[in-house]
Amino acid sequence: MAETVTIEKIYQWLEEVKDPEIPVLSLLDLGVITNVSIGDKVKIEMTPTFVGCPAIDYMKNDIVDTLKKHGQEAEVEVTFRKPWSSDCISEKGKAALKKYGLAPPPDNKLFTDLEILENAECPRCSQTNTELKNPFGPTLCRAIYYCNNCKEAFEQFKPV
Amino acid sequence: MYGGGNTFEGIKSDELTGEDPIKLAEFEARIERGEKIEPSDWMPKLYRKQLIRMIEQHAHSEIIGALPEGTWITRAPGFKRKMALMAKVQDEVGHGQLLYSAAETLGKSREEMIDDLINGKSKYSNIFNYPTFTWADCCFISWLVDAGAIVNQLANAKGSYGPYCRALDRICAEESFHLKYGHHCVIYLASGTQTQRDMFQEALNRWWPPMMHFFGPSDKISVHTEILMKWKVKMGTNDDMRNQFLDMYVPKIWELGFTIPDPNLKKNTETGRWEYTEPDWEEFKRVINGDGPCNKERLEVRRIAEERGRWVREALRTPKTAYVTPLA
Amino acid sequence: MNQEAIKELLYKMADDQLILGHRNSEWTGFGPLLEEDIAFSSMAQDKVGHSLALYTILNDLGEQDPDTIAFTRNADQFHNTVLTELPNAEYDFSLIRHFLYDTAEALRFEMLSHSSFEPLALVATKVRGELRYHTMHANTWVKQLGAATEESIGRLQQSLELALPYALGIFEPSPYESDLIKEAIFEGEKALEEKWKKKVEEVIAQTQLHLPKWETIAPHYGGRTGKHTEYLQPLLDEMSEVFKIDPTAEW
């Protein structure tokens, strides 16, 4: 390794890699980066949000490309050792989602039945006068709600 | 995926009479200042009508657009492609759902919109009336039709109607991911075997004319839409959009070693505009009025799906459980 | 650990997921309402993803790569239960199949999340969370349509009776059953079947549907050993149509 690179530095660079479908959310805030280590190469471990996530290859490539830009060869391994849950999204990530118009997921531990899914908080008016329209949204990780206040549909990042 | 252009009819001279001139002036001043119009705000009838028409066409384009690519999900070669294509087509249907919901904020129900689609009163992007014969046709749509749609949608996202703009912001983010997927598919064909290269060249030859139609008739012959431009309903002229698309994608197509079936296609270095053989607008009109290769098939699929699903929708109207809401 | 036993288990699970995922994806664009279009294609995507994760474990155990396994075998080399290969037919059949199958699958992955075979336990832990949405979807719709109109109840009842023998085929006895149990890899088909019956009874009891006595239903076996209906080979031919244009090509 040419220059001394620290784990901290790597995390800083990873902040630049965004979710391919949600450009305001970094992979770190999404919580899919599960480990970073430095040996002969930089080694990144990540885990998919959903097993069938079609974006995982793109994320992998983005990580490799970004680190290459900073002069680091990186190897990315996808594993299920630390499975992702929606609780892995950071507070900063949740705030970014809301600002982007996607309701952040409620605490997953609370999600035992439909009741929790019923009253998601509308990302526009912050009220919970909402109803679940479809537990399956445009992407695997989102559900569709309707806000009775705004009279508008919105998407929620699902609790899993 | 939506190309616009074919959206608007001519506006009759009396369509603004009867509107309160003070409210109208306020409304126009707000748009001028870059404010968004929200569902409960005052708006001229013509604005509402044209917006419904546009968002509805966009929504229809998403769900009809899912069909030509959707038929390749079961045939996509390999896990990577299969999963990405599934996700992409599902995204399109999901966009349809969001867009119908945006149009509903203007007072037309999804049921009415779907009825109008099936009875031919309301249109969708012309390009989906062409068949996908091979995997390469499907890749053409995933890359280039999506690219065209993004050009159009990015412009529309800067429009004046709040719910539509918000939906478009998220749609554009997702479609840029589709675009990456489509581009990858084509790169693999381009760098693959001779069979693969030929497949894509043939698809390109078939799809180029409808792609040129995608942005709508040339400004020289299309109806006047100044007021819609002023109200930020329509955000650019058809020729501008087409030019922007050519500017971004013709070099990429050439870079991959494919030829575009138009000997006159070149960029005029002085004007910065692309020159091309004038598309056959008669064919465009013929297809949009129902006489394209797949119009009947596309609507028939929709009609049968609606017909076969009727008992489900009826059953949903008997309120039994909490969250399943009858929609269309 | 008994590799053959693990492989048999993985193959049948992965094949189930792939084939049912394929069938679910056929609803894309044809659903009775947009929400259902999206629901079925979401579940299709999940299932194909789950099959890939399982084929990947098989690959690590020395089997061929996932694309080759999935796209080049013939029907008699597939171990999916026959239930998954039957055509979609009308929405009522697809819904009932989804309910019967996913109830079993959610329980199976729940059980496997405690498996002594770690790679499978890791995948199962992840998958069971996703399957909550599948069973929630199935239960809600079966409860709603199973107690709504005369037509909806009648249709669901008919499809239920048609699907039940095939659904029991999910639990076709495995020659490795005792090995799997002994090594704490999987509690076995028999245990799964019992749990499944309870869950199915529980949901059906909340509808106006009638569940026949279990002992009157003759299970349709054969899928696990490659004996399939005439519907599977055409499905596979379609699935591999492009792939086989040139199996050495990269697509």
Side-chain angles (χ1 to χ4, degrees):
Chain A
M1 200 137 298
E3 221 180 302
T4 45
V5 57
T6 60
I7 301 244
E8 211 175 27
K9 200 87 203 141
I10 305 281
Y11 273 108
Q12 223 170 17
W13 291 329
L14 285 175
E15 189 58 45
E16 295 165 26
V17 191
K18 306 294 180 194
D19 179 299
E21 293 200 290
I22 310 174
V24 296
L25 191 65
S26 75
L27 297 191
L28 278 178
D29 285 323
L30 179 60
V32 294
I33 307 288
T34 51
N35 198 39
V36 174
S37 59
I38 305 175
D40 302 337
K41 269 183 180 181
V42 174
K43 211 177 150 216
I44 314 270
E45 283 180 29
M46 67 181 300
T47 194
T49 53
F50 277 70
V51 178
C53 175
I56 197 83
D57 276 336
Y58 295 89
M59 294 186 192
K60 259 169 87 172
N61 292 339
D62 284 351
I63 292 173
V64 172
D65 290 349
T66 303
L67 291 181
K68 196 175 278 168
K69 213 176 63 198
H70 292 287
Q72 299 298 325
E73 283 291 317
E75 195 181 284
V76 183
E77 191 200 351
V78 178
T79 86
F80 294 100
R81 272 191 289 276
K82 289 183 201 157
W84 184 88
S85 95
S86 50
D87 292 345
C88 300
I89 302 177
S90 70
E91 287 309 314
K92 179 164 142 265
K94 286 181 184 168
L97 282 175
K98 187 174 173 185
K99 202 161 157 237
Y100 185 62
L102 283 172
D107 193 335
N108 185 38
K109 287 185 273 307
L110 296 174
F111 166 60
T112 46
D113 59 22
L114 279 175
E115 295 305 309
I116 301 297
L117 285 172
E118 271 295 294
N119 297 306
E121 188 184 295
C122 170
R124 291 194 61 221
C125 68
S126 300
Q127 308 238 353
T128 52
N129 180 16
T130 61
E131 39 189 292
L132 177 61
K133 283 280 180 200
N134 194 352
F136 296 98
T139 67
L140 290 182
C141 47
R142 302 187 209 171
I144 294 193
Y145 283 80
Y146 184 79
C147 174
N148 292 317
N149 235 18
C150 302
K151 310 229 172 308
E152 203 174 320
F154 66 91
E155 293 168 86
Q156 182 211 42
F157 211 104
K158 303 205 278 222
V160 177
Chain B
M1 285 184 291
Y2 173 58
N6 50 342
T7 323
F8 306 98
E9 328 176 284
I11 293 162
K12 293 183 220 84
S13 56
D14 61 350
E15 284 195 82
L16 273 176
T17 51
E19 297 291 4
D20 180 337
I22 297 172
K23 282 186 174 156
L24 184 60
E26 265 170 30
F27 167 84
E28 291 188 338
R30 285 186 64 195
I31 292 178
E32 178 68 39
R33 286 197 297 273
E35 287 174 32
K36 301 286 181 204
I37 305 299
E38 296 300 332
S40 50
D41 295 346
W42 183 90
M43 59 185 85
K45 285 191 205 69
L46 179 64
Y47 178 82
R48 186 182 297 273
K49 183 175 124 185
Q50 294 285 353
L51 263 177
I52 291 178
R53 194 182 156 86
M54 177 170 74
I55 303 173
E56 179 182 14
Q57 290 193 26
H58 190 168
H60 294 333
S61 301
E62 299 284 350
I63 61 165
I64 296 285
L67 300 175
E69 281 178 293
T71 58
W72 287 92
I73 290 176
T74 55
R75 294 176 277 178
F79 274 104
K80 215 161 70 182
R81 298 289 179 236
K82 196 176 178 75
M83 284 160 62
L85 184 61
M86 274 177 169
K88 175 183 188 303
V89 175
Q90 181 195 326
D91 265 0
E92 313 287 1
V93 183
H95 296 165
Q97 195 181 2
L98 284 177
L99 289 162
Y100 281 122
S101 174
E104 280 184 321
T105 61
L106 291 158
K108 185 170 182 180
S109 74
R110 196 207 281 185
E111 194 146 36
E112 285 174 272
M113 292 187 256
I114 292 197
D115 282 348
D116 283 352
L117 168 66
I118 292 173
N119 65 33
K121 249 165 82 183
S122 149
K123 307 287 183 212
Y124 52 87
S125 266
N126 224 16
I127 201 153
F128 302 122
N129 288 319
Y130 291 85
T132 41
F133 291 119
T134 69
W135 170 248
D137 291 318
C138 182
C139 296
F140 182 98
I141 298 184
S142 297
W143 184 31
L144 292 164
V145 178
D146 254 73
I150 291 179
V151 166
N152 189 67
Q153 288 167 174
L154 279 175
N156 279 358
K158 297 190 185 73
S160 61
Y161 189 58
Y164 186 46
C165 296
R166 285 191 287 276
L168 283 180
D169 277 338
R170 284 198 299 284
I171 290 175
C172 285
E174 289 174 21
E175 296 218 342
S176 55
F177 174 62
H178 299 174
L179 189 64
K180 248 189 215 171
Y181 156 78
H183 194 197
H184 274 184
C185 291
V186 176
I187 291 173
Y188 272 77
L189 294 178
S191 53
T193 63
Q194 192 58 40
T195 314
Q196 286 174 302
R197 295 188 54 79
D198 292 347
M199 259 172 102
F200 189 75
Q201 184 62 56
E202 284 159 21
L204 181 60
N205 297 347
R206 277 192 286 274
W207 283 80
W208 194 253
M211 192 69 230
M212 292 296 279
H213 286 154
F214 184 71
F215 301 92
S218 139
D219 297 343
K220 288 177 293 216
I221 59 167
S222 69
V223 292
H224 294 287
T225 51
E226 288 85 357
I227 192 154
L228 298 176
M229 303 267 276
K230 183 166 145 198
W231 285 349
K232 296 187 188 167
V233 171
K234 187 173 167 63
M235 297 302 292
T237 74
N238 298 348
D239 284 342
D240 281 346
M241 298 292 176
R242 192 163 17 246
N243 196 64
Q244 211 180 320
F245 168 79
L246 293 172
D247 223 20
M248 290 170 76
Y249 293 96
V250 170
K252 290 196 170 78
I253 297 170
W254 283 342
E255 206 175 276
L256 292 174
F258 294 111
T259 54
I260 293 171
D262 179 358
N264 300 318
L265 182 73
K266 63 170 191 299
K267 189 170 180 170
N268 182 325
T269 44
E270 274 164 39
T271 61
R273 309 273 300 183
W274 285 83
E275 291 168 0
Y276 42 81
T277 308
E278 195 58 31
D280 180 352
W281 297 115
E282 286 311 309
E283 176 184 333
F284 174 79
K285 274 187 230 159
R286 231 180 10 255
V287 176
I288 206 155
N289 287 319
D291 198 18
C294 297
N295 299 56
K296 288 193 187 66
E297 183 190 326
R298 300 280 184 251
L299 287 184
E300 192 59 9
V301 166
R302 224 37 265 167
R303 199 187 57 71
I304 292 172
E306 287 296 302
E307 198 55 46
R308 283 171 60 185
R310 190 176 307 281
W311 69 270
V312 179
R313 295 192 302 278
E314 270 165 19
L316 290 180
R317 288 195 190 94
T318 28
K320 282 276 171 7
T321 52
Y323 86 78
V324 183
T325 323
L327 281 164
Chain C
M1 260 181 217
N2 188 331
Q3 293 262 323
E4 289 315 303
I6 291 175
K7 283 185 190 171
E8 194 250 2
L9 178 65
L10 288 171
Y11 262 114
K12 69 187 177 193
M13 287 169 62
D15 289 349
D16 273 359
Q17 304 280 328
L18 178 66
I19 301 302
L20 189 55
H22 183 106
R23 285 295 185 216
N24 283 349
S25 79
E26 291 174 350
W27 275 107
T28 309
F30 301 91
L33 58 167
L34 282 187
E35 282 68 16
E36 280 310 277
D37 241 81
I38 297 171
F40 270 88
S41 50
S42 272
M43 292 187 289
Q45 222 178 300
D46 278 337
K47 292 211 178 318
V48 173
H50 299 164
S51 76
L52 174 58
L54 296 169
Y55 289 132
T56 305
I57 301 180
L58 278 165
N59 188 213
D60 294 340
L61 292 176
E63 298 293 288
Q64 284 176 293
D65 69 282
D67 277 339
T68 307
I69 298 179
F71 289 84
T72 60
R73 280 177 302 157
N74 286 320
D76 56 8
Q77 297 165 296
F78 268 78
H79 305 281
N80 60 289
T81 189
V82 169
L83 178 70
T84 57
E85 73 203 37
L86 299 174
N88 280 344
E90 295 293 321
Y91 178 77
D92 43 65
F93 181 75
S94 285
L95 173 63
I96 287 289
R97 165 167 60 189
H98 155 45
F99 164 65
L100 295 173
Y101 180 80
D102 280 316
T103 301
E105 213 47 24
L107 291 166
R108 187 189 292 272
F109 277 103
E110 175 65 43
M111 290 157 89
L112 288 170
S113 65
H114 312 293
S115 173
S116 61
F117 179 51
E118 203 202 354
L120 181 54
L122 288 175
V123 169
T125 304
K126 177 67 189 140
V127 167
R128 73 178 170 175
E130 299 178 13
L131 285 176
R132 280 207 293 200
Y133 281 93
H134 297 215
T135 49
M136 173 179 107
H137 176 265
N139 295 349
T140 313
W141 280 82
V142 167
K143 285 187 222 167
Q144 170 92 19
L145 296 182
T149 62
E150 200 179 317
E151 180 174 12
S152 72
I153 297 166
R155 278 173 173 269
L156 261 58
Q157 183 64 42
Q158 205 180 2
S159 288
L160 182 65
E161 283 164 27
L162 183 70
L164 276 170
Y166 295 103
L168 287 174
I170 297 173
F171 318 104
E172 182 170 340
S174 153
Y176 300 105
E177 181 100 348
S178 57
D179 301 276
L180 291 169
I181 298 172
K182 206 165 58 207
E183 299 193 46
I185 297 164
F186 176 50
E187 288 164 58
E189 300 297 330
K190 201 77 213 144
L192 174 60
E193 182 175 346
E194 290 315 310
K195 288 187 188 186
W196 174 82
K197 282 178 177 169
K198 277 208 191 70
K199 269 271 181 251
V200 169
E201 286 164 9
E202 205 180 290
V203 175
I204 296 296
Q206 296 172 61
T207 66
Q208 293 174 36
L209 302 172
H210 163 74
L211 196 62
K213 291 222 172 324
W214 293 115
E215 57 274 20
T216 63
I217 311 166
H220 184 112
Y221 291 148
R224 301 305 187 198
T225 54
K227 292 181 203 68
H228 294 281
T229 60
E230 73 267 32
Y231 302 113
L232 184 60
Q233 192 56 49
L235 179 155
L236 297 173
D237 290 341
E238 185 177 332
M239 191 165 82
S240 57
E241 187 188 305
V242 180
F243 194 86
K244 283 183 178 161
I245 292 175
D246 187 345
T248 62
E250 291 227 43
W251 295 92

